[in-house]
Amino acid sequence: MRRIVIIGSGFAGMHVAQDLANEVSSRRGLQVTMVTDQSHFLFTPLWTGVAGGTSRLTQVAMPVRSLLDDDVRVELAEVQHIDLAARRVHAGRLTVDYDFLVLATGATTNWGAHAEFEAHALPCRTGRDAVDAYDAVDRAFERAAQITDPAERRRALTFVIVGAGATGVELIARIASRFEAQRGRELDAALVSQSRLVLIERRDRVLPDLDEAMSDHAREHLRGAGIEVRLGEAVVACTAERVELSTQDAIGCGTIFWCGGVRSPAWLTDVGFETEASGRIVVHRTLQAVGQHGVYIAGDLASTGEHVPLNADAATQQARTVARNIIADLSGRSRKDWTYEPSGTFITLGRSNAVASYRGMILVGRTAQALSAAMTARLLPQGVRGLTLVPDLFAGAFAARSSAATQGLLTE
């Protein structure tokens, strides 16, 4: 029996498992097991839709088992350690031996040197985080309605987003759209007029890892929406009521969202992989971990030595290469190198705007929305197809394939 163990049920893990499923059905003596601490697959390109109130979590998440063939075994457990010498995964009471291992856990929130920030700021990674982000806005308005002092009310209605990468930009644009439309619980128009949205980025532009023209368009959109964009400033201290900046300025606020980057899960630090500064695992061009035969890395954990965006597109492409190379290993064929082939990049800017980069062109507005919808549809795992090209209607089509089992996601 040849045993393939996949850790993680995000884009990378799900696509590896689906690509290997056909091999399981056609090849004897092969077992594929997915170990994940999430019972659902979260369609992360729609995360900010949930946070902004245009989608529900149950519309953008599906049970893992509903997307996998019966030939793929699923174990719901949280991994604590991998014994590379014994080729064994330890996850609570579960122990799983492997011949081939695929690490696709994704990343976790990077609080940098300030772990204490976690007590005061909301992370922006999981489905639960998205629901919490939406609820946090409602709670802020409820608090503000009870405050009579204008300065204190203004502080309660100040929302700070730290990090102007894709998630931070999309999140603050969604919140601004919600304010404009007074969505959710019919946010009070007078309180909306007193609200303040602040985006803080330590580098010199928003979307610093993307095309500069995309960055310029996004910045203009945000400022046009009344958002205060603070560039070249870092958060050095944080409490529940204020953030202090590297420029010695301070901002009183009632809600802080942390979109300040990601890093590898803490339990990976003592496993024995060769890693880079952020904890990502160094891989060969075949996506096999350096110094580890039969261990492949896909998605946010893989450090390829070149600039590759940490997004669903790159994770999906890596997953397909990993699956092909495992099949090649099983068949005695040569592995193939992975080459990133960008299919385009897009950023949604609230309900009515977007910016996209495609084959050297920068597109904005409805054209960018249509292109972003097409690019997003290409990322869907098997079993979720036929989505409309209107981004805010993605969730409705996705929900049609969801089962009642997702109703329990918020209790996980």
Side-chain angles (χ1 to χ4, degrees):
M1 175 71 71
R2 308 300 297 278
R3 299 153 301 185
I4 304 171
V5 175
I6 302 165
I7 301 177
S9 58
F11 275 89
M14 184 60 67
H15 279 283
V16 170
Q18 289 189 337
D19 286 0
L20 289 174
N22 292 334
E23 196 71 14
V24 173
S25 62
S26 62
R27 184 189 292 265
R28 289 185 178 181
L30 187 62
Q31 181 184 78
V32 178
T33 301
M34 175 181 283
V35 181
T36 175
D37 60 356
Q38 300 291 325
S39 65
H40 61 284
F41 167 79
L42 177 67
F43 196 74
T44 51
L46 297 179
W47 186 95
T48 55
V50 177
T54 57
S55 308
R56 296 188 303 275
L57 178 59
T58 51
Q59 291 177 305
V60 302
M62 293 185 69
V64 167
R65 289 187 174 94
S66 73
L67 294 173
L68 294 173
D69 291 348
D70 292 339
D71 289 329
V72 178
R73 185 172 136 208
V74 177
E75 297 283 0
L76 292 177
E78 185 174 355
V79 174
Q80 279 90 37
H81 182 65
I82 299 172
D83 187 332
L84 295 174
R87 304 183 78 79
R88 184 170 296 142
V89 174
H90 297 277
R93 297 181 179 179
L94 176 71
T95 299
V96 186
D97 294 329
Y98 66 85
D99 296 290
F100 295 94
L101 178 66
V102 180
L103 264 177
T105 64
T108 60
T109 300
N110 185 6
W111 300 98
H114 298 281
E116 70 276 12
F117 289 1
E118 187 174 3
H120 308 297
L122 295 170
C124 299
R125 294 290 298 168
T126 69
R128 176 74 258 182
D129 294 342
V131 175
D132 287 346
Y134 178 82
D135 290 345
V137 174
D138 277 350
R139 289 195 300 271
F141 275 82
E142 290 169 359
R143 289 195 304 270
Q146 306 301 317
I147 299 172
T148 56
D149 179 74
E152 181 61 20
R153 186 188 307 120
R154 173 73 162 169
R155 185 200 64 75
L157 291 172
T158 296
F159 303 85
V160 170
I161 288 79
V162 181
T167 300
V169 167
E170 289 194 347
L171 174 60
I172 203 166
R174 286 281 187 178
I175 295 174
S177 286
R178 183 182 175 189
F179 287 177
E180 183 180 359
Q182 297 180 40
R183 295 180 57 81
R185 301 177 185 175
E186 296 299 323
L187 301 177
D188 184 275
L191 291 179
V192 168
S193 68
Q194 299 173 58
S195 65
R196 179 186 181 193
L197 290 172
V198 184
L199 180 63
I200 299 172
E201 170 56 47
R202 62 181 175 81
R203 289 179 280 184
D204 61 358
R205 62 186 177 96
V206 303
L207 304 175
D209 296 322
L210 300 183
D211 188 287
E212 193 165 348
M214 293 182 68
S215 173
D216 291 343
H217 178 81
R219 186 185 66 251
E220 290 175 10
H221 172 89
L222 296 177
R223 287 178 171 163
I227 296 166
E228 186 177 335
V229 180
R230 308 280 294 258
L231 301 176
E233 300 182 74
V235 174
V236 296
C238 170
T239 70
E241 298 185 343
R242 61 189 268 139
V243 294
E244 297 179 13
L245 305 178
S246 54
T247 54
Q248 298 185 337
D249 195 4
I251 301 172
C253 55
T255 308
I256 305 165
F257 299 101
W258 190 268
C259 305
V262 296
R263 64 165 295 112
S264 300
W267 62 265
L268 274 174
T269 56
D270 62 352
V271 170
F273 290 109
E274 182 177 333
T275 60
E276 39 112 282
S278 69
R280 298 171 69 205
I281 299 170
V282 180
V283 298
H284 296 293
R285 294 297 307 173
T286 59
L287 298 179
Q288 188 168 230
V290 169
Q292 301 296 331
H293 176 72
V295 179
Y296 290 90
I297 317 297
D300 292 353
L301 286 183
S303 175
T304 62
E306 59 181 307
H307 176 69
V308 176
L310 303 182
N311 60 23
D313 182 30
T316 299
Q317 291 185 38
Q318 289 180 345
R320 289 169 177 151
T321 295
V322 166
R324 283 197 302 267
N325 282 343
I326 289 176
I327 293 171
D329 288 339
L330 291 167
S331 306
R333 300 195 302 267
S334 298
R335 305 181 195 99
K336 292 186 177 180
D337 289 349
W338 175 70
T339 301
Y340 178 52
E341 299 177 357
S343 57
T345 305
F346 66 90
I347 299 293
T348 59
L349 299 170
R351 293 181 56 113
S352 59
N353 198 1
V355 57
S357 172
Y358 181 69
R359 295 183 178 178
M361 299 182 294
I362 301 298
L363 306 172
V364 300
R366 293 187 178 276
T367 304
Q369 284 185 308
L371 178 62
S372 66
M375 288 190 287
T376 302
R378 295 179 64 249
L379 303 174
L380 293 168
Q382 297 169 29
V384 186
R385 296 294 176 194
L387 296 187
T388 174
L389 292 184
V390 181
D392 279 326
L393 295 182
F394 264 122
F398 197 83
R401 302 304 302 269
S402 298
S403 78
T406 58
Q407 298 297 331
L409 293 179
L410 299 187
T411 63
E412 293 181 355

